Structures are given as C-alpha cells and as structure tokens.
Amino acid sequence: MATNYTPEVEARLRADAEEIVARYPQSRSAIMPLLHLIQSEDGFCSPRGITLVADILGLTRAQVSAVATFYSQYRRRPNGEYNVGVCTNALCAVMGGDIIWEELSEYVGIGHDETTEDGKITLEQLECNAGCDYAPVVMVNWEFFDNQNPTSAKQIVDDIRAGNDIQPTRGPNKVRTFKEISRVLAGFEDGLADEGPAGGDATMAGLKIAREQGWSAPQPTHGEESSD
C-alpha cells in the first residue's frame, strides 16, 4: 500500500514498527502501540498512518480504523501539542471539576475534543483518572495536576500558551508534548519513569497508618483454598 510519507520517514517508522511487532507472538497484537507510533509522527491517527499500519500487519484499513475509532486516546484529527483533560467524573465533579471545566472551556474558547487555532491545546472532559485522592484532577498529556481549581487550571494553559515548561504534581519534571508522550505509549521509554515524586501523602496515608499500627495482611491458613 502506498503512503504519503517521505522515503526517509517511512523507513524510520517501519524500523520502529519492526521492533514493536517483534514483542508479540502474533503481529496483529501490535496494532495499538503502532497507532501510538503513528501519533508520535503525525499527532493523530492519520489516513496515511492507518494505511502504513495496515500494510505492516497485513490487515485492511477498515480493521485498523476500527481500533483507532474505538479508543479515546487515538485521535482522528490533529491533536493539540498539549492535551488538557479535566476530570468531571463523580468525585472530581463534586469537588470542583465541573466548575473547572466550565471556566476553563470559556477561558480557552473551545469545548470538548476541540483544539485552539494555534494548535497548542486540545481540551477534553475526562472520565476517572484513578486520582480521586487528589480531586479535582487535571491531566496534561496524561500527567497529573492534583488538587486543582479554576485559577490554577487557567495558569496551566497560560504557561502552555507562553511556551513555559509545565511541571506535573507527580512524575517527571516537565510535561512532554503529545507526540513525545505518544512515542512512550508506543513502547519506547524516555528514561523518565522514575523522575519526580510518585504517590504523595494522600495516597500513602493508609500504608503509613498500617505500618504505625503494626498491621499486616492476613495470611491464609494451611490448606485454605482461595475463594477466587
């Protein structure tokens, strides 16, 4: 299948794809990381990227598109350099997530899954990010910004627009671009997995109390069968 990539870019993508496919006993199992690889190049699951993935895996474009349209992390039009997601699921919503979303959407001038004219920011309403102990949570390219409010969320987009580095509450010392993060999701590590703080006080509170009290998990009695 012919793509519109330059020979140099296509050769590089195919070399990366070969490394990805080699991780799996069946080649079609590599479809999801390959779509992230395409996003690391094009910023979305482009038609030419869909064609390339189909050719590499011996699938039809329709089969590849079926996966790309099912999962929300795959984009079918160019995504912003920074994907700013506001959690509006139950706990974050009642803790202020709904207000953050309303004010931030008005402030940036776009709605859900829309991108600013300069291509810097795509705004998204997110479902639960498993950060409920820090609600309300905003995520930028899937890095956590905990305990947010409308003012702090607006500061995030102001910094993005100004070209300033933005630092998540947990994780690496700055948020990488959508394309850079997409390459990590494709399986090419950037060496930053252990950079910065991980679980904070709210996450570790239960473990701390258990250790202070000398509690431990109950151990099964000899011969006791699991109920699972």
Side-chain angles (χ1 to χ4, degrees):
M1 298 180 190
T3 71
N4 293 325
Y5 291 111
T6 64
E8 295 77 13
V9 170
E10 183 164 338
R12 171 167 51 79
L13 289 172
R14 285 185 179 273
D16 285 342
E18 184 177 358
E19 183 177 338
I20 293 171
V21 172
R23 303 171 191 156
Y24 300 92
Q26 297 183 23
S27 63
R28 70 179 297 156
S29 299
I31 188 170
M32 295 181 74
L34 286 180
L35 288 172
H36 284 301
L37 178 66
I38 294 305
Q39 293 198 139
S40 76
E41 182 66 32
D42 293 338
F44 72 117
C45 291
S46 61
R48 65 181 184 174
I50 295 290
T51 299
L52 181 62
V53 172
D55 186 55
I56 290 169
L57 299 180
L59 301 172
T60 66
R61 288 190 293 268
Q63 287 173 310
V64 178
S65 292
V67 176
T69 55
F70 185 82
Y71 295 99
S72 62
Q73 278 190 313
Y74 299 127
R75 314 298 182 171
R76 295 312 303 270
R77 57 181 180 273
N79 202 78
E81 189 175 352
Y82 292 89
N83 195 84
V84 179
V86 180
C87 181
T88 55
N89 209 326
L91 185 56
C92 277
V94 300
M95 294 292 288
D98 281 347
I99 297 172
I100 293 174
W101 168 258
E102 290 166 7
E103 291 199 22
L104 193 61
S105 179
E106 182 178 357
Y107 186 67
V108 180
I110 55 176
H112 171 68
D113 199 26
E114 294 179 351
T115 302
T116 54
E117 289 185 5
D118 62 4
K120 281 283 187 182
I121 297 169
T122 293
L123 205 56
E124 184 179 19
Q125 278 185 288
L126 294 177
E127 291 298 316
C128 184
N129 299 299
C132 304
D133 40 357
Y134 294 102
V137 169
V138 171
M139 296 194 85
V140 182
N141 292 345
W142 300 286
E143 298 290 359
F144 285 98
F145 288 76
D146 302 318
N147 299 318
Q148 292 297 295
N149 57 58
T151 301
S152 62
K154 290 173 187 176
Q155 185 61 54
I156 292 171
V157 300
D158 283 345
D159 285 335
I160 291 172
R161 286 166 157 171
N164 300 330
D165 288 342
I166 54 172
Q167 183 170 3
T169 312
R170 294 172 272 157
N173 59 16
K174 72 173 184 177
V175 176
R176 269 56 182 182
T177 66
F178 181 81
K179 288 184 178 182
E180 290 172 327
I181 292 298
S182 293
R183 184 166 177 81
V184 175
L185 293 173
F188 296 97
E189 295 186 14
D190 58 7
L192 303 177
D194 297 322
E195 185 177 275
D201 291 341
T203 303
M204 299 302 178
L207 178 61
K208 181 179 180 217
I209 292 170
R211 286 176 172 170
E212 289 174 349
Q213 298 296 324
W215 298 338
S216 60
Q219 299 299 312
T221 342
H222 180 68
E224 179 180 344
E225 294 185 0
S226 171
S227 59
D228 296 336

